[in-house]
């Protein structure tokens, strides 16, 4: 018999931040939230990622100690960096160590890629696809039976169209401009002012400092939308290329589920596409030109909202 005080635990471990929520299973009310830094072990290492999870779960344990029932019915750890069976094993070991250290009691444990969990939440278990262009870029599609994926292989292998890729292209454009190899762009002043650097040598020093992270470089892509609005040619070119790369990514994952042009929902999330109107416009135009039946929608909530929905269904279907 299910308890009226059953709890759901959701961990959304992204590259930039890790969000945590404790949800009342029966009412769906969020009773506790906490955030920490990114927990993608591929970016920060196993030890650092484990420490972040341990800290969050310790807070969760303290919260549950004040409740009538402190056992978690279903916990979903939706983690960036799970790209293979080996990755899954690494993250599983991290999660179990964090759970043991925090002394949490969990009945059903789900560990999966963060984008996969978001897909299952946003599509409500129906056929659909999800494109995420955040710090990285990845696409998932679900045909009602199986999940297929394209992209998400990391900044060293690709992630074209992602926030990281945009930031990298912005910085490259500045170096080309300063060298005389590329056209002038107002992106230079925006980036210099934000980073409080005076010249290209200081920009290079910022890139190669010990505290550098991919997420920090991804922030440089945020200046594109304003530069596009001001008709900056360089910003327009970068944004256009990003849109075309995301089209290739979306089409690739749709082909993997043998999509034949029928009506389908394609959800888009991540700052690179949500906060750059030109990227979204070109992406939407190209996709609907090829596939008129596609309905493209921006996700209206944070990913953790959809992961909560995914966890609720897992709870109901136990």
């Amino acid at each position: 018999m299910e308890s009226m005080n059953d709890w759901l635990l959701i961990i959304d471990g992204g590259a930039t931040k890790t969000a945590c929520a404790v949800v009342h299973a029966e009412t769906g009310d969020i009773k506790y939230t906490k955030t920490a830094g990114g927990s993608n072990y591929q970016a920060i290492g196993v030890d650092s990622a484990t420490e972040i999870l341990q800290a969050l779960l310790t807070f969760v344990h303290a919260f549950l100690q004040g409740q009538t029932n402190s056992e978690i019915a279903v916990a979903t750890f939706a983690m960036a960096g799970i790209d293979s069976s080996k990755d899954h094993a690494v993250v599983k070991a991290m999660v179990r160590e964090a759970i043991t250290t925090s002394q949490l009691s969990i009945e059903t444990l789900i560990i999966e890629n963060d984008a996969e969990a978001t897909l299952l939440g946003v599509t409500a278990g129906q056929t659909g696809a999800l494109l995420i262009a955040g710090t990285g870029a990845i696409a998932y599609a679900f045909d009602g039976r199986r999940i297929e994926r394209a992209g998400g292989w990391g900044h060293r292998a690709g992630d074209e169209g992602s926030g990281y890729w945009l930031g990298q292209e912005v910085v490259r454009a500045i170096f080309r401009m300063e060298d005389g190899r590329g056209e002038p762009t107002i992106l230079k002043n925006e980036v210099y002012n934000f980073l409080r650097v005076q010249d290209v040598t200081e920009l290079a020093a910022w890139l190669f400092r010990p505290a550098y992270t991919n997420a920090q470089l991804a922030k440089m892509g945020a200046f594109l939308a304003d530069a596009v609005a001001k008709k900056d040619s360089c910003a327009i070119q970068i944004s256009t290329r990003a849109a075309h790369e995301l089209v290739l990514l979306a089409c690739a994952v749709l082909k993997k589920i043998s999509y034949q042009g029928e009506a389908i929902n394609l959800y888009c999330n991540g700052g690179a596409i949500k906060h750059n109107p030109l990227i979204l416009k070109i992406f939407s135009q190209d996709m609907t030109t090829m596939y008129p039946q596609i309905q493209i929608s921006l996700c209206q909530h944070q990913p953790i909202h959809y992961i909560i929905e995914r966890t609720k269904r897992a709870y109901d279907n136990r």
Side-chain angles (χ1 to χ4, degrees):
M1 181 177 176
E2 295 173 348
S3 166
M4 292 301 291
N5 287 312
D6 277 351
W7 299 104
L8 308 178
L9 169 65
I10 294 85
I11 301 290
D12 177 19
T16 304
K17 73 173 182 177
T18 302
C20 165
V22 177
V23 178
H24 192 286
E26 297 299 325
T27 66
D29 294 336
I30 299 174
K31 296 296 187 180
Y32 179 83
T33 61
K34 191 79 175 178
T35 59
S39 54
N40 183 342
Y41 88 93
Q42 294 186 17
I44 65 173
V46 170
D47 291 343
S48 296
T50 303
E51 288 175 5
I52 287 172
L53 294 178
Q54 287 174 345
L56 284 173
L57 296 190
T58 298
F59 283 115
V60 170
H61 182 267
F63 164 75
L64 290 175
Q65 288 302 105
Q67 307 301 315
T68 304
N69 175 26
S70 61
E71 182 174 271
I72 296 167
V74 180
T76 298
F77 286 75
M79 307 292 294
I82 300 181
D83 300 319
S84 66
S85 57
K86 179 182 177 181
D87 292 328
H88 191 274
V90 170
V91 174
K92 182 178 179 180
M94 287 167 37
V95 169
R96 291 198 176 279
E97 180 179 344
I99 290 171
T100 300
T101 301
S102 63
Q103 299 182 319
L104 283 176
S105 175
I106 299 174
E107 181 181 334
T108 301
L109 178 62
I110 299 169
I111 301 171
E112 59 196 5
N113 179 281
D114 57 338
E116 181 176 335
T118 304
L119 169 73
L120 292 174
V122 73
T123 61
Q126 304 300 310
T127 300
L130 171 67
L131 172 78
I132 299 178
T135 303
I138 192 168
Y140 273 87
F142 182 56
D143 66 359
R145 296 176 294 106
R146 72 188 192 278
I147 295 174
E148 296 289 352
R149 161 206 171 160
W153 301 116
H155 69 286
R156 293 183 181 180
D159 271 352
E160 295 89 348
S162 69
Y164 175 87
W165 184 88
L166 290 173
Q168 189 176 54
E169 290 299 305
V170 166
V171 169
R172 283 175 172 169
I174 294 171
F175 281 116
R176 287 195 294 267
M177 171 186 171
E178 295 283 52
D179 281 345
R181 296 180 289 125
E183 64 184 297
T185 172
I186 62 175
L187 292 167
K188 169 189 166 181
N189 291 337
E190 297 291 339
V191 170
Y192 281 15
N193 289 338
F194 179 77
L195 296 179
R196 298 181 181 178
V197 300
Q198 300 297 317
D199 54 41
V200 73
T201 57
E202 290 186 9
L203 176 59
W206 178 83
L207 279 173
F208 292 98
R209 75 198 193 289
Y212 163 88
T213 66
N214 294 345
Q216 291 169 347
L217 183 59
K219 290 180 180 179
M220 301 305 102
F223 298 113
L224 283 166
D226 184 60
V228 167
K230 294 176 180 176
K231 309 300 182 184
D232 184 86
S233 174
C234 184
I236 292 171
Q237 291 175 39
I238 294 172
S239 298
T240 300
R241 295 206 321 271
H244 291 156
E245 290 290 350
L246 294 177
V247 167
L248 290 174
L249 184 59
C251 288
V253 81
L254 289 173
K255 288 177 182 176
K256 289 189 174 186
I257 62 167
S258 302
Y259 176 65
Q260 299 296 319
E262 63 273 17
I264 192 174
N265 289 316
L266 169 60
Y267 300 93
C268 300
N269 209 1
I273 193 166
K274 292 182 75 172
H275 301 149
N276 189 316
L278 181 59
I279 293 178
L280 178 60
K281 178 182 177 181
I282 294 173
F283 174 82
S284 299
Q285 288 176 342
D286 286 1
M287 290 301 300
T288 53
T289 296
M290 288 185 289
Y291 304 113
Q293 293 276 61
I294 277 186
Q295 295 294 319
I296 296 174
S297 305
L298 288 178
C299 292
Q300 298 302 312
H301 304 284
Q302 292 296 316
I304 195 166
H305 169 88
Y306 303 110
I307 301 170
I308 289 173
E309 294 301 314
R310 184 263 184 279
T311 308
K312 285 180 186 176
R313 278 196 298 279
Y315 173 80
D316 293 338
N317 293 332
R318 287 183 307 163

